[in-house]
Every structure is written in C-alpha cells, then in structure tokens.
Amino acid sequence: MYLAFNIFQHIALFIILYHIHIYITLYTHYIKLYHTYIYIGLCVGGLYVGLGNTNLILDNVTFSYNRATSLGGAVYLNSINTEVQLLNSVFNSNAGGSGGSVYVDGSKDVSITTCSFSNNVAGVAHGGGLYVNGVENITITDVVFQNNTASTSGGAIYLGQLSTLIELSDVVIENNTAQSSGGGVYVDAKNTGLVLNTSSCTHNQAGGSGGCIYIGTSNSNIQFTHLTLHANTATDYGGVIYTDELNTNIELDTCVFSNNTATSGGGIYSSVDNQWAVSNSSFMSNYLQAESTTAVSISTGGAVYMGTMHSGTSIKDCDFSYNGVVLTTCDTSNTNSNSTSSTSDTCSSDVSHYDCGALYIGESSSDIHITRSKFNSNIATRVGGVACFVGVSNITIEHSSFDSNMQSSTSTSNGEDMGGGVFYFSSCGVATTTTTTTSTTGSGSETLTLSNNTFLNNYAGIKGSVVYSKDTYV
C-alpha cells in the first residue's frame, strides 16, 4: 500500500485552527508527506508515526511551534526495521520533553538531508533539536542546527544506543546549549563508527563537559576532518570535544580549534585509554577557566588534555599558539632568549593555577610522538608553558619549534615542584643536552627525547626555561 499526504497551506491552516494532529499507526506501508505545513500541534506534537516494516519520507515539510509533553515536539517516530528520510524540511520553535523537534526510536536507517533545526527546546531531558535512539545507521548531510536547547544533554543532537555508523557532513552546529553535557552533540553509542567532516561547530555551550560534542563511546573508531571549531565553552572539561570511554581510536585531521574554553582541555579532553592521531590541525587561543572565582583551583591543558593514552598516540604537522591563560599583568622584558627569573611575581592571572599551556599527557601513557609542529606563545602559571608529561614513558619530540612560551609565576607555595617554560616532566631525574637534542631519563623506561627542535625566547618564572623535571632543569 502507498499512503501519501500532499497538503497545501490553506488545508494545513484548517488543521491548525482545530488542533488536529496527524497520528498514524500502520504496518508494511510506504508513507510520504510532501510540501506540507504543520503548525501549532499540541500535547502529542505535530506528527506521530508508529510503524512496522515501513519506509517514511518527509520532503519539503515545515514544522513550527508544535508542542509535546513527552517525546518529539514536532515529530515522534516509533518504528521497527524501517528507513526514515527527512528531506528539505524546516523544524522551527518546537518543544518536547526529549527531542525538542524530532524523536526517532528504533529504526534501521535514518537519513536527514538539507534541513534546518532552529530554536527548538527539549524541556525535560535530551536532544534540543533531534533525538535518535536505537538506530543502525545515521546520516546527516547539509543540515543546520541553530539556537536549540536541551535541559540535560545534546543541545542540538542526542544520538543514543545501538548505532553502528554515524556520519555528519556539511553540518552547521551553532549557538546551541545543553544544561549538562554536549552543547552541540551528545553521542552515547557503543561499537560505533563516527565520522564528522567538512562541518562547523561554533558558539555552543555545555553546563558540564563537551562544549561542541560529548562522546561516550567504547570500542569505536572516530574521524574528525576539515572542521571549524570556534568559541565553544564547557563549564567542566573539553571546550570542544570530550571523550571518556575505553579502546577508542580517534583520527583528527585538518581541523581548526580557536577561542574555545573549559576548566581543563580548552579544545580537547580525552580521559582514558584512547589512541589519538592528530595531524595538520591548528589550536589557536584556547583557554583555561577557573572552576571557582573565589577559591584556588587547578586547570590543565589549554588546548588538549589527554589522560591515559594507548601506545602510539601522535601529533604531527600541527600549530599550537596562544593557548593557556590570559595574564592580567606581565613583564616579559627579559625574554629575548630562553630565560628564568627569581624576581617578584611579574606575571599573574588570578588565585587559580593554570597548568600546561598547550598540552597535557599523563597517567601511564607511553610511546607518544610529536613531529613537525609549532608551539608559540603558550602560557601556564605554575608548570609547563607548552606541555606537561605526567607518568608518561617514551616521549619523542622532533623537528618542531618552540617560541615565546612561558611558565609565568615566580612564586612557590607549599613546597610544590614548579617550572618549565616549555616542558614539565614529572618522573625524571637526569637531564643531558647537546646542540640539537635533549634526552631526559628517569627510572625504568621513562624517557623524553627532543631531537632537531628549535627553542627561542621561552621563559620560566621559576626554573627550567626549556625543561623542568623535579629538581633537574634545562
């Protein structure tokens, strides 16, 4: 059977005035809505479809100002073994409990192409614009998500369990807000392939972690390519990207991170047991913010925070500049060469500690490679103007340049180990240098090898304009 709706605007107006909703429960059918305007649906939203083995197409449909007290402010699709296509459609100013505009539960494939989701609200839980759960494959192409809000997670998009392939291409995610995590997108899907390419994620906010995207996946493969990631904010961790699950391989290539902010990991926060391959990307002016404006707090990793990483994590052909902390007062007149200072504190921010201006890698990571990258004008207050390596073994940094980076504070407290205009390395005891190479070796296999790098105009307020490691510094 073929069932099609071709409702012209004057007929739709009749539906508006009488608050009639489209409610469909069918089995083994094909359903298509074309050139339709659905406006001010109440209680159950604009459209509910409960299906069996059915294909659904919404093409050139506008859903505006619909409300649902529970799921799917404009559209609720409760389906099994179906294919859903949303094409050339507009979802504006709708509100639901979860899925402020669209809620899809239990379909085979979902494809959303050339649509816009704007000013939608998930007033109770997840997915301000779109909530998709229990779907095998999700493809979102040429879609704009703008000014959507979720009361918990996924300001624009929430992608739930059982997805095997998630692909977003040519997507604009802008000015979305989640009161909890995933200001733009929240992904909660195991054993998943996630691809995000040729897209922008800008001016999104998370009250928790992941200003642009929160990734809760394990045993997954993730690719980020050709992305613009600008002015996103997380109150907690990961101004742009937050990931906290296990055994995930993440490739990031040709991406631009700029003016993003978080308590730790202004650009990226990756907490446990993942392997990253970062290449051809820039991290510019990503900042740390204090957890509290009245008490001392510690913020770490201005551009990138990586906790326990799989062996083989790599960074190559990248640019890290102006990350870390913005200083309120600073006298760097003596930084025309790599230098240290023992004078009074001439560079300060506030009462908090901002560590590892560009990069933090720690907690039993091993075999880290950084190649052909630039680190310029990154700033930390206590330790590691550029990077901190804490509990890491076998780090190799080669063919890279370090210019005008700074560990700013000149005061110590509570006997803390502090310093490192460029590097802070927590586990080493001996440092030796030659013209082009520094190898800092501690107990066991812990080794920092610097080969064919250049260091110019770096500054440490305490010790070690280049490397500080416990009581050894260079």
Side-chain angles (χ1 to χ4, degrees), residues 23-35:
Y23 185 101
I24 305 169
T25 303
L26 296 173
Y27 295 90
T28 318
H29 292 302
Y30 176 90
I31 299 174
K32 179 175 180 178
L33 271 69
Y34 175 73
H35 196 69

Side-chain angles (χ1 to χ4, degrees), residues 53-278:
N53 296 315
T54 304
N55 295 330
L56 172 68
I57 299 175
L58 304 180
D59 188 355
N60 195 21
V61 182
T62 297
F63 294 85
S64 295
Y65 299 99
N66 299 282
R67 300 289 184 269
T69 55
S70 183
L71 307 177
V75 178
Y76 177 22
L77 306 178
N78 186 9
S79 313
I80 300 174
N81 297 323
T82 66
E83 294 183 2
V84 175
Q85 295 182 58
L86 309 181
L87 308 171
N88 308 303
S89 295
V90 175
F91 302 86
N92 177 57
S93 299
N94 304 288
S98 280
S101 189
V102 176
Y103 188 103
V104 182
D105 189 13
S107 293
K108 181 179 179 182
D109 298 319
V110 173
S111 176
I112 303 173
T113 306
T114 319
C115 294
S116 67
F117 293 75
S118 59
N119 303 303
N120 302 289
V121 177
V124 177
H126 312 301
L130 172 67
Y131 185 112
V132 179
N133 185 68
V135 172
E136 290 186 13
N137 301 301
I138 306 166
T139 303
I140 301 174
T141 306
D142 189 26
V143 177
V144 175
F145 294 89
Q146 192 173 53
N147 300 323
N148 302 286
T149 302
S151 292
T152 53
S153 300
I157 305 168
Y158 183 95
L159 303 174
Q161 298 289 339
L162 304 179
S163 302
T164 56
L165 177 63
I166 302 168
E167 184 172 358
L168 291 82
S169 300
D170 298 301
V171 174
V172 175
I173 303 168
E174 182 179 20
N175 285 326
N176 302 284
T177 302
Q179 298 301 317
S180 182
S181 294
V185 182
Y186 189 103
V187 181
D188 182 16
K190 314 300 181 185
N191 304 304
T192 299
L194 170 62
V195 177
L196 177 58
N197 62 64
T198 322
S199 298
S200 65
C201 194
T202 61
H203 298 279
N204 301 286
Q205 298 182 27
S209 297
C212 170
I213 182 168
Y214 181 108
I215 303 171
T217 67
S218 61
N219 303 309
S220 300
N221 294 301
I222 298 172
Q223 295 180 352
F224 298 112
T225 58
H226 297 280
L227 303 179
T228 299
L229 307 157
H230 175 71
N232 301 284
T233 301
T235 301
D236 294 333
Y237 308 129
V240 177
I241 299 169
Y242 178 93
T243 178
D244 69 347
E245 295 290 344
L246 304 175
N247 300 318
T248 295
N249 297 317
I250 305 169
E251 296 181 13
L252 189 147
D253 183 69
T254 319
C255 297
V256 177
F257 294 73
S258 61
N259 293 98
N260 304 289
T261 306
T263 298
S264 288
I268 297 171
Y269 188 102
S270 181
S271 60
V272 291
D273 211 14
N274 299 314
Q275 184 181 76
W276 284 79
V278 181

Side-chain angles (χ1 to χ4, degrees), residues 175-376:
N175 285 326
N176 302 284
T177 302
Q179 298 301 317
S180 182
S181 294
V185 182
Y186 189 103
V187 181
D188 182 16
K190 314 300 181 185
N191 304 304
T192 299
L194 170 62
V195 177
L196 177 58
N197 62 64
T198 322
S199 298
S200 65
C201 194
T202 61
H203 298 279
N204 301 286
Q205 298 182 27
S209 297
C212 170
I213 182 168
Y214 181 108
I215 303 171
T217 67
S218 61
N219 303 309
S220 300
N221 294 301
I222 298 172
Q223 295 180 352
F224 298 112
T225 58
H226 297 280
L227 303 179
T228 299
L229 307 157
H230 175 71
N232 301 284
T233 301
T235 301
D236 294 333
Y237 308 129
V240 177
I241 299 169
Y242 178 93
T243 178
D244 69 347
E245 295 290 344
L246 304 175
N247 300 318
T248 295
N249 297 317
I250 305 169
E251 296 181 13
L252 189 147
D253 183 69
T254 319
C255 297
V256 177
F257 294 73
S258 61
N259 293 98
N260 304 289
T261 306
T263 298
S264 288
I268 297 171
Y269 188 102
S270 181
S271 60
V272 291
D273 211 14
N274 299 314
Q275 184 181 76
W276 284 79
V278 181
S279 58
N280 304 302
S281 296
S282 66
F283 297 81
M284 308 284 289
S285 302
N286 301 284
Y287 299 117
L288 299 169
Q289 62 184 5
E291 293 179 286
S292 169
T293 58
T294 59
V296 174
S297 62
I298 299 175
S299 298
T300 306
V304 176
Y305 178 105
M306 295 182 177
T308 302
M309 296 294 104
H310 276 182
S311 174
T313 286
S314 64
I315 297 171
K316 65 179 181 180
D317 300 302
C318 291
D319 185 350
F320 292 79
S321 298
Y322 301 99
N323 302 288
V325 59
V326 176
L327 301 176
T328 55
T329 60
C330 188
D331 176 11
T332 58
S333 58
N334 63 341
T335 60
N336 58 351
S337 61
N338 299 314
S339 62
T340 60
S341 172
S342 59
T343 61
S344 61
D345 192 355
T346 56
C347 299
S348 63
S349 53
D350 54 31
V351 297
S352 298
H353 300 313
Y354 300 93
D355 295 347
C356 324
L359 177 65
Y360 172 94
I361 299 177
E363 288 92 37
S364 302
S365 302
S366 64
D367 297 323
I368 308 299
H369 298 269
I370 300 175
T371 308
R372 297 189 305 274
S373 294
K374 296 188 294 184
F375 297 83
N376 300 325

Side-chain angles (χ1 to χ4, degrees), residues 409-452:
S409 178
T410 60
S411 63
T412 60
S413 62
N414 300 322
E416 294 174 308
D417 292 322
M418 297 164 55
V422 179
F423 302 119
Y424 173 84
F425 195 45
S426 68
S427 304
C428 296
V430 178
T432 60
T433 63
T434 66
T435 303
T436 59
T437 302
T438 299
S439 295
T440 305
T441 306
S443 59
S445 60
E446 296 170 341
T447 303
L448 169 64
T449 300
L450 308 176
S451 178
N452 295 301

